[in-house]
Amino acid sequence: MRVEIWSDIACPWCYVGKARFEKALAAFPHRDEVEVVHRSFELDPGRAKDDVQPVLAMLTKKYGMSEAQAEAGEDNLGAQAAAEGLDYRTRGRDHGNTFDMHRLLHFAKEQGRQDELIQLLYRANFAEERSLFTESAERLVGLAAEAGLDAEAAREVLADPARYADDVRADEREAAELGANGVPFFVLDRKYGVSGAQPAEVFTQALGQAWGARSPLKLIDEGGAEACGPDGCAVPQH
């Protein structure tokens, strides 16, 4: 079974939702038969690469809330993250363009290290003091290396804005086609969708439902057709 997760590194509920989903997945009896794929979704795709601002300022401007409301929202997110065992800095974080991070995640997917990298990117954005947006590309290169990727190869990806750009845009178009207008958005075997950072119990139910709904292979066999198997190939007798 395949689970696809559309998310953005700048999305705090994606950070929390991933932890809740993984809690359910860890207890799922068929865990070893579930493939998880992370898909790209930018919350702020039109933001210029050098347009970085404090999270609280972004929230007050984008949503028209007061600074006190923005702070209360961050405090609530911090509490939700802590309940999942996650570190979360409620003050001093900033917000910026995540397109290069998504390109790097597609590279990591090819190398089988996508989940390791996305977790490190989440940690860097939500738990560490250093900005993920104002430092040079070497910060991302360092995280890629920590995730087990070749540093020079990651550097080459970041240096070429065309690398994996089409993959990111394809993910975003597909999200729109599936009706996802927010993240996190979980798609299970292309049959069931779960929107938002739901409690682990909801993910447990969704995994079980999707697993049970898998259709067994329907064999069309008119009989008598030759085939090869573990014991060799049938040879027609004349």
Side-chain angles (χ1 to χ4, degrees):
M1 185 169 73
R2 169 181 278 203
V3 178
E4 298 162 277
I5 307 173
W6 272 264
S7 59
D8 191 11
I9 301 305
C11 164
W13 288 117
C14 296
Y15 180 47
V16 173
K18 183 176 186 292
R20 292 174 176 172
F21 169 75
E22 288 177 346
K23 184 181 292 184
L25 185 60
F28 187 55
H30 308 286
R31 167 67 187 92
D32 293 340
E33 297 174 74
V34 178
E35 176 192 13
V36 179
V37 178
H38 297 282
R39 301 290 192 190
S40 299
F41 189 106
E42 295 172 276
L43 290 175
D44 206 349
R47 180 177 288 271
K49 191 172 180 178
D50 60 352
D51 183 5
V52 180
Q53 67 181 138
V55 166
L56 292 178
M58 179 274 293
L59 292 172
T60 57
K61 182 178 180 180
K62 186 173 183 177
Y63 300 106
M65 58 178 63
S66 67
E67 186 171 346
Q69 288 173 320
E71 289 178 345
E74 282 294 284
D75 289 340
N76 175 54
L77 276 162
Q80 299 268 0
E84 304 303 329
L86 302 172
D87 292 328
Y88 188 97
R89 296 180 65 239
T90 61
R91 301 292 185 273
R93 293 189 303 107
D94 56 16
H95 177 80
N97 183 291
T98 58
F99 189 64
D100 282 347
M101 300 175 204
H102 286 294
R103 292 197 302 112
L104 200 58
L105 282 165
H106 276 279
F107 167 64
K109 178 187 173 185
E110 286 187 350
Q111 308 300 314
R113 310 298 295 177
Q114 192 185 41
D115 192 70
E116 289 83 355
L117 180 58
I118 198 170
Q119 192 59 39
L120 288 170
L121 289 169
Y122 279 141
R123 184 197 70 190
N125 186 43
F126 293 107
E128 297 180 357
E129 290 187 16
R130 296 171 60 192
S131 170
L132 197 56
F133 301 100
T134 59
E135 296 193 21
S136 70
E138 286 303 304
R139 178 78 189 287
L140 293 181
V141 171
L143 291 170
E146 190 176 345
L149 297 166
D150 180 78
E152 186 56 37
R155 189 176 291 111
E156 290 174 0
V157 170
L158 293 171
D160 181 357
R163 293 277 300 276
Y164 302 100
D166 289 345
D167 299 274
V168 176
R169 297 305 182 210
D171 276 0
E172 293 174 337
R173 286 193 301 272
E174 196 165 13
E177 292 167 2
L178 290 169
N181 53 18
V183 285
F185 188 71
F186 302 77
V187 176
L188 293 79
D189 253 6
R190 291 297 170 114
K191 292 180 180 178
Y192 297 93
V194 178
S195 181
Q198 300 285 350
E201 294 77 12
V202 174
F203 289 118
T204 297
Q205 179 183 355
L207 286 166
Q209 190 169 348
W211 183 267
R214 293 177 310 137
S215 300
L217 182 68
K218 294 180 180 179
L219 183 64
I220 299 174
D221 186 3
E222 298 297 332
E226 292 81 7
C228 294
D231 297 325
C233 299
V235 179
Q237 302 296 317
H238 297 288

